[in-house]
Amino acid sequence: MLATNFGKFTYKNPFMNASGVHCMTIEELDELASSTAGSFVTKSATLEARAGNPEPRYTDLPLGSINSMGLPNLGVDYYLDYAIKKQQEMTQQAPFFFSVAGMSVAENIELLKKIQESDFEGITELNLSCPNVPGKPQVAYDFPLTDQILETVFGFFTKPLGVKLPPYFDLAHFDEMAKILNKYPLTYINSINSIGNALFIDPATDSVVIKPKDGFGGLGGEYVKPTALANVRAFYTRLKPEIKIIGTGGIRNGQDAYEHLLCGASMLQIGTELQKEGPAIFERLTKELAAIMKEKGYQSISEFHGKLKTID
Ligand code: SIN
């Protein structure tokens, strides 16, 4: 009932983690692989291991979370070795996802060349939207640079590739970014990363709640769902149909998942709520989504996928 089509792949259900949550170590990745989730993605890797930003760098908030992790990760070789071994063990036909986030264009190219030359057969996600590295702007807010990176990447990269995007807030920006993305054989886009550089104040102490960047960090959870839905919808109605969409942002229950699918997402990533509940969340979400579909009389996701109604 919950099977979802994602390009040439079919997943048993649309749920997976958002990169950064429960995917730093082999132990965490194995827990995701053996959970109810339809797939999983590794923590965005850099060439060398990174410690990331000073703590506290993640805090739960009343309606979500704020983080400035700064891409802590164990280095691309750690995840690539794991991925190559794991893909042989997996019984599912549909591959999992491998995320990379270079600190520069040159590092992104080097990371992707490494993946291209490796035995990894899964799907690669190029994270162009991390808001948390001091001094490094989010690449995908620079339209010509994004275009230039994709042109270079598709000059040599022949495996399935998607990009993780930041939220956009203007219809002109959706138009401009979609025009760039449509030029390339992308497997998917992942929309959205956290809403970058938000600020949360603890009313009891008059202080920010995370240490890096004087408290500025990426906002996730319930706060961001309407922005995430808008981005999924805006890209679903602008991208060529071959480019699938992973909807990320504010999914806490079956209804949130249903809304992302209605807007046109084909897979769904869970960040803040996975951090709060752990991998058992996937069982709850699959049950809740199935119950909503049953109530509405749907046998499959394809019956309502992308079919958001507007008012005439
Ligand atoms: C981080 O490690 O700072 C989060 C990654 C991201 O938002 O892309």
Side-chain angles (χ1 to χ4, degrees):
M1 186 185 204
L2 295 186
T4 184
N5 298 321
F6 191 76
K8 56 185 174 146
F9 310 112
T10 302
Y11 291 88
K12 67 181 179 188
N13 69 62
F15 296 108
M16 55 189 290
N17 65 306
S19 178
V21 183
H22 211 92
C23 58
M24 177 81 88
T25 63
I26 284 174
E27 291 73 28
E28 288 178 330
L29 288 162
D30 275 343
E31 279 170 23
L32 292 176
S34 57
S35 77
T36 308
S39 192
F40 65 92
V41 58
T42 56
K43 171 68 184 166
S44 296
T46 45
L47 280 174
E48 303 300 331
R50 282 172 59 85
N53 291 338
E55 294 181 345
R57 57 191 185 181
Y58 178 98
T59 306
D60 285 328
L61 302 178
L63 300 178
S65 66
I66 189 167
N67 90 84
S68 182
M69 302 299 287
L71 289 173
N73 76 92
L74 297 165
V76 68
D77 290 336
Y78 176 90
Y79 299 105
L80 205 47
D81 288 350
Y82 170 79
I84 291 165
K85 281 187 203 121
K86 193 73 191 171
Q87 71 190 3
Q88 282 153 10
E89 282 170 30
M90 302 278 290
T91 47
Q92 285 185 42
Q93 291 296 309
F96 57 85
F97 296 70
F98 190 93
S99 174
V100 291
M103 291 290 121
S104 62
V105 175
E107 187 176 353
N108 278 324
I109 302 303
E110 214 177 316
L111 284 159
L112 292 174
K113 284 202 166 144
K114 214 172 174 54
I115 295 169
Q116 175 68 27
E117 285 156 18
S118 78
D119 291 329
F120 178 60
E121 289 163 3
I123 304 175
T124 302
E125 176 163 298
L126 176 61
N127 181 352
L128 297 176
S129 52
C130 177
N132 303 329
V133 181
K136 305 269 181 204
Q138 286 159 274
V139 174
Y141 282 141
D142 183 334
F143 294 94
L145 181 61
T146 302
D147 196 4
Q148 189 197 314
I149 291 173
L150 291 177
E151 189 176 352
T152 309
V153 166
F154 282 111
F156 67 88
F157 200 80
T158 56
K159 297 181 177 183
L161 183 80
V163 283
K164 181 143 184 195
L165 298 175
Y168 299 96
F169 303 94
D170 195 291
L171 297 187
H173 291 162
F174 291 128
D175 290 343
E176 203 176 335
M177 184 45 76
K179 209 166 145 194
I180 292 167
L181 298 168
N182 276 332
K183 285 165 55 179
Y184 300 101
L186 282 160
T187 297
Y188 74 96
I189 63 153
N190 183 349
S191 185
I192 58 171
N193 205 322
S194 56
I195 297 185
N197 297 303
L199 193 64
F200 192 86
I201 298 170
D202 180 344
T205 59
D206 292 357
S207 168
V208 300
V209 295
I210 52 172
K211 182 169 177 177
K213 295 173 69 178
D214 290 336
F216 284 69
L219 189 68
E222 199 175 339
Y223 297 108
V224 312
K225 189 180 81 169
T227 300
L229 292 176
N231 275 259
V232 169
R233 189 66 187 167
F235 282 118
Y236 182 74
T237 52
R238 285 168 176 76
L239 292 179
K240 55 188 179 184
E242 304 90 277
I243 304 181
K244 301 298 165 203
I245 299 177
I246 297 182
T248 306
I251 300 176
R252 295 178 305 134
N253 55 42
Q255 179 62 29
D256 300 324
Y258 180 83
E259 290 172 16
H260 267 265
L261 295 166
L262 200 60
C263 285
S266 295
M267 294 290 286
L268 306 170
Q269 292 190 349
I270 319 298
T272 301
E273 206 59 29
L274 170 61
Q275 178 71 28
K276 288 183 182 168
E277 288 183 42
I281 190 177
F282 294 114
E283 195 163 344
R284 174 172 74 74
L285 290 174
T286 51
K287 282 191 185 138
E288 289 177 4
L289 178 59
I292 291 168
M293 287 169 60
K294 197 166 166 217
E295 198 184 307
K296 290 179 184 280
Y298 293 126
Q299 313 284 321
S300 71
I301 287 175
S302 58
E303 289 168 45
F304 64 94
H305 175 247
K307 296 194 177 144
L308 176 68
K309 294 178 192 161
T310 52
I311 301 166
D312 290 333

